[in-house]
Amino acid sequence: KQWYQRRVRGNDFPVEVRTSLCKKVLDNIPSVNYCCLRQIVLFLNKVVSESAANKMTSQNLSIVMGPNLTWGRHTITTLSDVNNINMFCQFLIDNKRLLDRENNTR
């Protein structure tokens, strides 16, 4: 399976389990994709830090960016996948520390 096919279901697990699952997904992303994802998530986190002015919360950004970040060349995303994709992206934005080098095996 491709990395983007693995989903972390939002509220199905405690935060510690979601964190562990998210790290496993991140560890399987090709290095180039990981570097791009890291930069995008760091930028989105900065946008969220100004949400009082721009109204873009991590939830709003995940709805807009989630499908774009997990798009696959040979996959079809169904409507039932969208919620999981958005929750995964929101979790990444809210937990940008998961993409820090010291928190990953990269």
Side-chain angles (χ1 to χ4, degrees):
K1 288 185 172 182
Q2 296 292 326
W3 71 269
Y4 49 78
Q5 290 175 313
R6 296 175 188 204
R7 309 285 193 258
V8 177
R9 294 179 185 251
N11 296 321
D12 290 353
F13 304 105
V15 172
E16 299 82 24
V17 175
R18 280 187 277 166
T19 300
S20 175
L21 290 171
C22 189
K23 284 183 180 182
K24 287 180 184 178
V25 170
L26 294 173
D27 286 343
N28 288 303
I29 297 174
S31 293
V32 172
N33 298 49
Y34 178 87
C35 290
C36 290
L37 177 65
R38 183 176 184 277
Q39 292 303 312
I40 291 168
V41 169
L42 292 175
F43 171 73
L44 294 176
N45 191 270
K46 286 183 180 183
V47 173
V48 169
S49 72
E50 300 294 328
S51 64
N54 64 29
K55 308 300 184 213
M56 293 305 288
T57 63
S58 60
Q59 183 178 17
N60 292 342
L61 285 171
S62 69
I63 290 168
V64 173
M65 297 299 296
N68 295 300
L69 292 175
T70 58
W71 175 81
R73 197 176 294 167
H74 302 292
T75 62
I76 297 173
T77 303
T78 65
L79 288 177
S80 62
D81 289 335
V82 171
N83 191 45
N84 291 332
I85 290 168
N86 293 347
M87 287 183 168
F88 177 74
C89 289
Q90 182 177 357
F91 190 76
L92 278 180
I93 294 167
D94 289 339
N95 296 280
K96 69 176 176 133
R97 73 185 186 290
L98 294 174
L99 291 157
D100 291 341
R101 297 202 189 285
E102 62 272 5
N103 290 325
N104 254 303
T105 57
R106 292 185 179 272

